[in-house]
Amino acid sequence: MASGLFALLDDIATIMDDVATMTKVAAKKTSGILGDDLAVNAEKASGFISDRELPVLWAISKGSLVNKLIILPVAFLLSAFAPVVVTVILVLGGMYLAYEGAEKILEWIFPHAHGHEKVDLEADITPEQVLAQEKKKVKSAITTDFILSVEIVIIALGTVVDQPLSTQIVVVSIIALLATVGVYGLVALIVRMDEFGYKLIALNPEDNTFSDKIGRLLVQALPYLIRIIGFVGTIALLLVAGGIFSHNIDFFHHLLPTWPGIIKDFVLGLAVGIVILLPILIFKKIKGK
């Protein structure tokens, strides 16, 4: 009886060790999208009245959890009964990531105006109009989260697709939970960073104190921090996309064999992104005319 118990505990320890290892691998593979998710949601959760930032972020977080509850069962069913579909979706997701990364790099080189709507805090509008704009922005953020969540779940699933279904469920669920709790927790800290800075500045009536300097640093650093997160997230998107292509498409796997893996993945991701981006830009230009 005792030996059977010890054997069971040993099996559980082995499973947990496997889960921890695979979770670490999956987290590494999805880090690019998590970085992009962080940058996107930090932007979408900003621009509101200070008192509404956290409620808005909470509404987006709840929507993100619902997204995961929809996506996870579908992903596990595909893994169990049609694993080849997971690979196809993974490659399609890689193409989307490559396109998104290439589009952002193009935006850095040739900046252009965007049509994003912002809540105008200076305009003389009613509280009902403010709430309507807020709901619209929350809905847009949840839709974006759904797309990113599909990518995160599929990429995480792709790292454990050859593992038992129980391991897949645990690992991918942990990554999905991390993508919601971890990302939105960091977003909450980021969007409230300037508010904390203002409180430090108002902490005492004296000027140019240590708390004033720290407060001003936090206020001034917020836009730069979001830009840095966006930059790192974009590079990581292309690396993740290139890694997907090199590991799942035989032609790309044997291409550039002497190149360092990180350089090869970046070049592949950027090249595929440009190939997808160019015809879309041409189509948009023709449609515009």
Side-chain angles (χ1 to χ4, degrees), residues 19-276:
V19 167
T21 302
M22 296 310 299
T23 301
K24 187 184 296 184
V25 173
K28 184 178 179 181
K29 292 290 185 181
T30 56
S31 60
I33 306 175
L34 290 174
D36 188 60
D37 199 7
L38 179 62
V40 169
N41 285 293
E43 186 274 332
K44 287 187 176 294
S46 59
F48 295 96
I49 299 172
S50 178
D51 292 342
R52 295 300 302 162
E53 284 179 341
L54 290 183
V56 165
L57 191 57
W58 174 238
I60 299 173
S61 301
K62 289 190 290 185
S64 177
L65 286 172
V66 173
N67 287 341
K68 304 299 189 303
L69 291 175
I70 295 171
I71 295 167
L72 284 172
V74 175
F76 295 139
L77 286 173
L78 288 175
S79 178
F81 298 105
V84 67
V85 178
V86 175
T87 303
V88 173
I89 296 176
L90 188 63
V91 173
L92 291 175
M95 293 171 65
Y96 175 80
L97 296 179
Y99 160 76
E100 189 178 15
E103 185 182 39
K104 289 185 177 182
I105 288 181
L106 180 67
E107 166 66 17
W108 295 341
I109 300 173
F110 303 106
H112 57 277
H114 293 280
H116 298 313
E117 293 187 13
K118 294 183 179 180
V119 177
D120 189 354
L121 302 180
E122 302 297 328
D124 184 18
I125 57 178
T126 65
E128 290 77 13
Q129 290 174 314
V130 172
L131 288 176
Q133 290 179 328
E134 182 179 295
K135 288 179 180 179
K136 190 173 183 179
K137 197 168 184 180
V138 168
K139 185 178 179 180
S140 172
I142 292 173
T143 302
T144 302
D145 177 90
F146 185 86
I147 297 171
L148 293 171
S149 295
V150 170
E151 297 167 359
I152 290 168
V153 169
I154 293 299
I155 290 176
L157 191 58
T159 64
V160 292
V161 72
D162 56 343
Q163 299 294 317
L165 183 59
S166 57
T167 302
Q168 294 180 23
I169 292 174
V170 175
V171 170
V172 178
S173 297
I174 290 174
I175 295 298
L177 186 62
L178 176 66
T180 299
V181 177
V183 167
Y184 286 100
L186 288 173
V187 169
L189 291 176
I190 290 171
V191 298
R192 300 299 289 178
M193 192 171 79
D194 57 344
E195 184 70 19
F196 181 63
Y198 286 125
K199 288 184 178 180
L200 286 178
I201 294 172
L203 193 61
N204 55 70
E206 299 179 14
D207 291 330
N208 207 29
T209 61
F210 179 74
S211 62
D212 290 342
K213 293 177 181 178
I214 297 297
R216 283 194 292 268
L217 177 63
L218 291 175
V219 172
Q220 295 169 1
L222 178 59
Y224 296 102
L225 177 60
I226 293 179
R227 289 176 191 168
I228 291 171
I229 293 172
F231 174 79
V232 173
T234 298
I235 300 302
L237 280 177
L238 293 172
L239 289 174
V240 170
I244 290 172
F245 301 142
S246 63
H247 287 97
N248 294 280
I249 300 176
D250 193 59
F251 172 76
F252 289 134
H253 181 70
H254 297 291
L255 192 66
L256 308 173
T258 60
W259 286 36
I262 189 170
I263 302 297
K264 175 182 174 180
D265 289 348
F266 179 80
V267 170
L268 284 177
L270 182 59
V272 173
I274 291 173
V275 169
I276 297 171

Side-chain angles (χ1 to χ4, degrees), residues 3-19:
S3 62
L5 179 60
F6 285 127
L8 177 61
L9 292 175
D10 185 62
D11 289 342
I12 293 174
T14 301
I15 293 171
M16 294 303 295
D17 186 58
D18 291 342
V19 167

